[in-house]
Amino acid sequence: MMIVLCFAGAGMDRFVTASRKRKRHVGGELDQASHSKKSREAPEEELEEDYGEEEEEEDMLLKEFSQPIPWRKIEAEGLDCDYCLLFKTDEANELFNALERELEYFTGDQAKVQVFGKSYSVPRKQATYGDEGLMYSFSGVHLLARTWTPTLENIRDTVTKATGHTFNFVLVNRYKDGLDHMGEHRDDERELDPSCPIASVSLGAARDFVFRHRNSRGGAGRGGPPPVKLELAHGSLLLMNAPTNTNWYHSLPVRKKSQMPRINLTFRRILKKLK
């Protein structure tokens, strides 16, 4: 038995709307306590000036979120995700074409992974971009982030505005057609900030995306919940919240009928090592 979730642009019943709390979260942690203390101790003239600035910021935020994004909640045992169509078709087309011009993908040993001591070519193209000095390690490879391109910065900032989370790194996967794929895995590397969800933006061909609970894998895994499958549309955003990557593996299986390319961007927040 498999749960199948298919989404269209209409009929999504959860909305992200403007709020002062969301605006402050974009810049970091909320500081309601310190703001309250300041309000008690500040002179009257300063209070009037502060409130005026806050009203101006709120007006700007209302304009920024004048068209709320419809979200769809995806939930199962230990799985918590949010899904929306972030970009309209024309805008998604422009972003896809711009990325095709800008992105540089890994070759040679960086295009391989280590599995049980053996080296295998990755069945897709990969690239990493982000803040200076960041590195992402998985399956025996260590990938240093290239500098953000203008289009990646644009998409990253759009995701931040939509979710309230900041990201400093993106893993890019390009699938030339339905034969390119990704096997089951969890994004649970130690360098990932556990408080930040992984934001997955899809551009190009729509592809099936499958979640499988860790207790449902292998010959002995018969007691877990059924898999969850959804189709990731062109211009969509999937937000994988905790504890999803602790309990569930995910994959992009082969789909031989798919003839068109797809670019997937998974935005993450990597913890910077203390010197």
Side-chain angles (χ1 to χ4, degrees):
M1 178 181 177
M2 179 175 291
I3 301 172
V4 180
L5 302 173
C6 298
F7 304 117
M12 298 184 183
D13 51 7
R14 183 165 175 261
F15 290 86
V16 173
T17 55
S19 69
R20 187 175 295 145
K21 182 177 179 181
R22 176 173 291 278
K23 181 66 174 181
R24 289 183 181 173
H25 185 69
V26 170
E29 297 298 326
L30 297 178
D31 193 8
Q32 295 174 338
S34 62
H35 181 273
S36 177
K37 182 178 179 182
K38 179 181 178 182
S39 298
R40 291 194 300 269
E41 297 177 354
E44 185 175 351
E45 295 86 354
E46 184 180 343
L47 286 176
E48 291 178 356
E49 181 179 350
D50 288 347
Y51 288 145
E53 292 176 355
E54 287 188 1
E55 289 177 359
E56 184 177 348
E57 288 182 2
E58 187 169 359
D59 289 341
M60 294 176 63
L61 185 59
L62 287 170
K63 292 179 181 179
E64 182 179 5
F65 286 90
S66 59
Q67 296 180 341
I69 300 170
W71 289 90
R72 180 67 177 267
K73 175 62 76 174
I74 304 168
E75 293 179 302
E77 180 185 329
L79 185 147
D80 180 2
C81 296
D82 297 287
Y83 178 90
C84 74
L85 292 177
L86 185 61
F87 300 105
K88 295 181 180 180
T89 301
D90 289 346
E91 186 176 11
N93 290 341
E94 292 178 4
L95 293 172
F96 180 91
N97 291 330
L99 291 176
E100 289 284 76
R101 294 190 299 268
E102 293 178 3
L103 298 183
E104 297 180 37
Y105 294 96
F106 293 120
T107 58
D109 290 340
Q110 289 186 313
K112 297 181 179 180
V113 294
Q114 298 290 326
V115 180
F116 299 114
K118 294 184 178 181
S119 180
Y120 298 90
S121 296
V122 176
R124 59 195 173 276
K125 289 184 177 181
Q126 287 189 317
T128 52
Y129 290 82
D131 293 355
E132 183 179 359
L134 290 181
M135 180 175 288
Y136 187 53
S137 302
F138 64 96
S139 299
V141 295
H142 308 282
L143 304 177
L144 184 65
R146 294 189 174 102
T147 304
W148 293 102
T149 72
T151 302
L152 287 175
E153 283 188 323
N154 176 23
I155 299 173
R156 178 202 63 197
D157 293 346
T158 302
V159 172
T160 290
K161 290 176 183 177
T163 65
H165 292 278
T166 57
F167 304 90
N168 58 12
F169 184 89
V170 63
L171 174 64
V172 184
N173 285 288
R174 186 188 187 278
Y175 304 83
K176 68 180 184 303
D177 54 31
L179 295 179
D180 279 4
H181 61 281
M182 180 180 288
E184 286 188 343
H185 68 286
R186 292 183 292 180
D187 296 324
D188 57 355
E189 288 75 20
R190 288 182 297 176
E191 61 260 44
L192 294 177
D193 186 342
S195 68
C196 182
I198 292 177
S200 175
V201 174
S202 296
L203 299 168
R207 292 285 296 271
D208 290 337
F209 191 76
V210 180
F211 287 103
R212 190 182 304 275
H213 195 274
R214 62 183 183 181
N215 293 337
S216 300
R217 303 177 74 240
R222 298 180 180 178
V228 176
K229 183 176 76 172
L230 54 145
E231 184 180 74
L232 301 180
H234 180 43
S236 67
L237 167 62
L238 176 67
L239 202 63
M240 291 185 280
N241 309 301
T244 300
N245 270 294
T246 300
N247 301 307
W248 293 76
Y249 287 74
H250 55 269
S251 65
L252 194 88
V254 170
R255 291 294 181 261
K256 295 181 179 180
K257 293 183 179 180
S258 180
Q259 303 297 320
M260 301 299 292
R262 171 183 183 263
I263 296 176
N264 178 245
L265 313 172
T266 48
F267 292 92
R268 307 143 188 265
R269 188 189 301 151
I270 291 183
L271 297 170
K272 297 181 179 180
K273 295 181 180 179
L274 297 177
K275 296 182 179 180

